[in-house]
Amino acid sequence: MMIDQAPALIIIVPLFVSLVLTLAGSLGPRVAYGLLLCGMAGSLLFSLLALGQVVTDNQAIHYRMGDWPPPMGIELVIDHLSGLVLVLVSACALLTAIYSLRTAAEDNPDRLNHYYALFALLVTGLLGMTASGDVFNLYVLLEISALSSYGLLARGRGPAYYATFKYLIVGTIGACFYLLGIGYLYIMTGSLNMLDLAEIISRPELQDSVSIKIGFSLMILGVWIKMALFPLHAWLPNAYSKAGITTACLIAPLMTKVSVYIMLRIMFTVFSVDYIFDSIAWSQVVIYLASAAAVIGMITALAQRDLRMMLTYIVVAEIGYMTGGAWVANAAGYTGAVYHILADGLMTLCLFMAVGAVIYRTGQTSLAAMQGIFKRMPITAVVLVIGAASIIGIPPTCGFFSKFYLIQGAAQAGAWVFVAALLIASLVAAVMFFKMLEIAFFGDLKALEQEPGGGHGHGSHDGHDGHGALPAVARQEAPLSMLIPMVITAASLIILGLYTKEVVNYFIGWSIPAGF
Amino acid sequence: MKRLTLVILAICALIMLAAAVDLPNWADPSSPASTHLSPDFLEQGYGETATPNIVTVVLADYRSYDTMFEAVVVFAAALIVLVVLRRTPRQRSKMVQHRPVREGRDTVLRGAAQLIIPVMQIFALYVVGHGHYSPGGGFQGGVIFGASFILLALCYNLQFTIDRFKEQAVLFCVAGGVLLYAGVGAICLAMGWNFLGYAGLAGILGVSEVMARSHGILLVEVGVGITVFSVMMSLYYDLASGGDLDEGL
Amino acid sequence: MDEIFHFIIGKYNYWASLVLLFIGLYGMIAKNNLMKKIIGMVIFQTAILLFFVSIGAKRGATVPIIEFGPDKLPLLDATAYANPLPHVLILTAIVVGVATLGVALAILQKIQRVHGTIEEDEILEDQRR
């Protein structure tokens, strides 16, 4: 019985946690933390159960909300793809929740409960979006996750408000474009259910309809704005880099990945391979955009002096990888894109966590904070190296295998621009991380101290390590609550890499859309 | 830059206008939107839920999962505004802001408010309760109910309202309404039906499945009403006073 | 001529909402004052709401509340009632719009408090300092 209800419980459990956290305003921070952990662990458990059932039965689970049959009611659909993304989202959320013990309490001395309630709401929104089988329901959950991310990001320091406002305006434009796209589809088909829509759109009389094309363009454009594809990415680095440590760890890996997942859903579930690559001949343009995103994102990241600014531009570049993989129009590219959702979710989380720990300990956000972390924070440094290796694409980390599939797909499709972009981006990433690790190993303290913009911004820093006495300090490893999730994430990067074949065969292989 | 934006937008507008060629005419009874799902709702809705207002039926039963998240959206808004704006007195003391303090007795205003507020509140309850048979429901009723409190705050002052309806109580209602909605869904789930399958309430309420759906709709509408009215108040409290909850507009 | 006239009149709901849509979008992108950006956002959202709600109209139909015949039996003729689904969707979209507006106003108040202004160029100048 629990297994039958698992699809609903994945989403309901964090929702209830959020409500209870709001109601129980007077409970202590420990209780709030415990509740949050329970909620996230529950989601992960039910996601695993649902995915397990999908794999054993080898067919998608259709869960009818309110027992109404699909085109009239709303259904949740968990197939190989969405099951995998659900597990990724809930696992990342759980790891971040564990990680948040110290940082969240310091960033939010008051209202920790409300902060955690928003945390749980954001996760509810992301999980709901992933599981939903109804385009309008997806919009509502998109707005829930967007709203709660505005709230979380606005908890940052001074400049965060303006950056969040920009994000709010851009995010609303994106969501409204998506809504307008639904409107066009609804006018032409009369349906909102994804599978029903797909069936109606595939009818010959709608193949050449301009309105359907406009609807598709608006929906995709909205999702691109939400996921910060290259020319539309300006809001992302500012908004994400000024957030609190926990917020950045939660939002940066997950929001964009779920948006990519939605793009795949729209492209291959609502519309079909034939429609997208034959009726709408955009794929060349999109591949150029994706290539530009990858190269420009990485080069801009190289130019940054602020650690988190650097990571956010890496996120922009990675979006280019996944978009390109989805639009090269073959099975290898699609596999690469989906596998990269998993890999990138984990490696972005890994890097944000490690950098967050460094910022937490040093109180600095500039590259200078990396000074001698191999001596002071050896475990964090190793985690950072593994994350960096994965971004660059060094085997056996999973970053290598996703890039391998992406390049294979691009080569099969003859998209040499994208192949070149991937290789250049990897090279730039290598340069960037070697620069960072060089500072970490041999950094010349005096040279760095003279640089402006050292950024002693972390106000809530509680001073058990002096700002000024960086090199002299002995080991100051991050607290255990941060180390455990970091080590798990770093280990999972390698484990995922080692089991690439299994993941591709048992999960992604089944979700490759018909027509490839 | 502005000129450029204008030109780009104008081009987009022209493309979209040109694309209207194959959209159905306004109010065309044979358009896909009117012929695909809508007849099913209209013909089956009453029989399955014993509720004549089909908008309510679709809102709170067929698509009640959407509506639950709609209530969650307003809940989230209240929470975010609180988290962003609300300041404790300790934080406020760093910066003193002068607000005009309203003196005097606005007898006419207060008299009018006393006259109209009870009527508004009764009407709001009617709108919530009569949503099955006429236009109305939790959102509309909740908004009217919340507006009556905002009127009170405007005609007296914010402090007067807060003394009668504490911030903590408002927050309790905000989460409580959504909890009622989600709780109804969870009870259905516990009774062996799917989440929000109101037919699962039949055993508890001792009525037929069709009537159970009707009662389920009422229950969730009440939940929505509570959330919406308290969110209105919570938003007003925080936005009107800049998060200080002292003087207000 | 007659056809063009019918084309314009027959689809006027789309024209109206598209014009509003682009007015709102222009306001959101081009205006310097953040409050005006928010106003643009509201216009933009309202345009989409109008677009959606106009789908629900059906000639010769009344509000989708089932009426009862003289024999107390419900009249279940689908052509007599308007399409209920767009109304439901709109209710959701309105609520989402209101929530976004509330959050935007709260953040705007915070910006005003931190930077002392809500003009975009002055905020950027303030940040550079």
Side-chain angles (χ1 to χ4, degrees), chain B residues 64-105:
Chain B
S64 90
Y65 179 62
D66 257 1
T67 311
M68 180 178 83
F69 281 111
E70 220 175 313
V72 175
V73 167
V74 282
F75 161 72
L79 203 60
I80 293 163
V81 172
L82 188 80
V83 159
V84 171
L85 272 185
R86 188 79 176 85
R87 290 187 293 188
T88 50
R90 182 174 52 80
Q91 290 165 312
R92 187 172 60 234
S93 61
K94 290 174 194 161
M95 198 162 69
V96 182
Q97 271 189 337
H98 289 290
R99 295 173 177 283
V101 179
R102 203 162 55 210
E103 294 292 337
R105 309 159 66 87

Side-chain angles (χ1 to χ4, degrees), chain A residues 465-478:
Chain A
D465 53 41
H467 285 262
L470 282 178
V473 184
R475 278 187 58 166
Q476 270 196 335
E477 194 47 82

Side-chain angles (χ1 to χ4, degrees), chain A residues 1-2 4-5 8-9 11-12 15-16 18-20 22-23 25 63-68 71-74 76 108-111 114-115 117-118 121 124-125 128 132 134 136-138 140-141 143-144 147-152 154-155 161 180 184 186-193 196 200 203 208-212 214 218, chain B residues 15-24 31-34 36-38 40-41 44-45 48-49 58 61-70 72-77 79-80 82-84 86-88 90-91 167-168 171-176 178-180 182-183 186 189-200 213:
Chain A
M1 183 239 154
M2 269 320 223
D4 290 341
Q5 300 294 341
L9 289 170
I11 299 153
I12 302 309
L15 176 65
F16 269 104
S18 163
L19 293 172
V20 171
T22 318
L23 280 177
Y63 183 89
R64 296 173 174 187
M65 274 295 166
D67 289 302
W68 294 112
M72 289 172 80
I74 295 172
L76 302 183
N108 309 278
D110 55 338
R111 314 212 164 273
H114 294 156
Y115 178 84
L118 281 179
L121 264 189
T124 311
S132 182
D134 185 283
F136 191 80
N137 182 244
L138 205 155
V140 178
L141 286 150
E143 282 290 8
I144 288 185
L147 275 178
S148 36
S149 70
Y150 307 147
L152 290 174
R155 282 303 271 182
Y161 294 114
L180 194 62
Y184 272 92
Y186 180 67
I187 289 184
M188 296 310 291
T189 64
S191 181
L192 293 167
N193 183 276
D196 197 32
I200 297 174
R203 289 179 192 163
D208 292 321
S209 159
V210 192
S211 300
I212 297 267
I214 293 262
L218 285 168
Chain B
I15 294 172
M16 282 169 73
L17 288 180
V21 183
D22 69 344
L23 290 174
S31 68
S34 296
H36 181 51
L37 279 183
S38 133
D40 295 348
F41 287 128
Q44 297 167 23
E48 279 171 338
T49 61
V58 178
D61 201 349
Y62 288 104
R63 297 189 71 86
S64 90
Y65 179 62
D66 257 1
T67 311
M68 180 178 83
F69 281 111
E70 220 175 313
V72 175
V73 167
V74 282
F75 161 72
L79 203 60
I80 293 163
L82 188 80
V83 159
V84 171
R86 188 79 176 85
R87 290 187 293 188
T88 50
R90 182 174 52 80
Q91 290 165 312
E167 191 200 9
Q168 207 55 46
L171 204 59
F172 187 79
C173 288
V174 170
V178 185
L179 200 62
L180 175 60
L189 193 144
M191 297 300 289
W193 292 70
N194 278 358
F195 189 72
L196 290 171
Y198 303 139
R213 293 205 183 98

Side-chain angles (χ1 to χ4, degrees), chain B residues 100-146:
Chain B
V101 179
R102 203 162 55 210
E103 294 292 337
R105 309 159 66 87
D106 307 323
T107 317
V108 176
L109 264 181
R110 291 181 180 192
Q114 278 175 1
L115 211 60
I116 200 169
I117 286 172
V119 182
M120 276 176 85
Q121 294 187 339
I122 294 208
F123 181 65
L125 294 179
Y126 162 78
V127 169
V128 175
H130 212 247
H132 283 50
Y133 301 99
S134 62
F139 287 99
Q140 297 86 335
V143 167
I144 300 172
F145 207 79

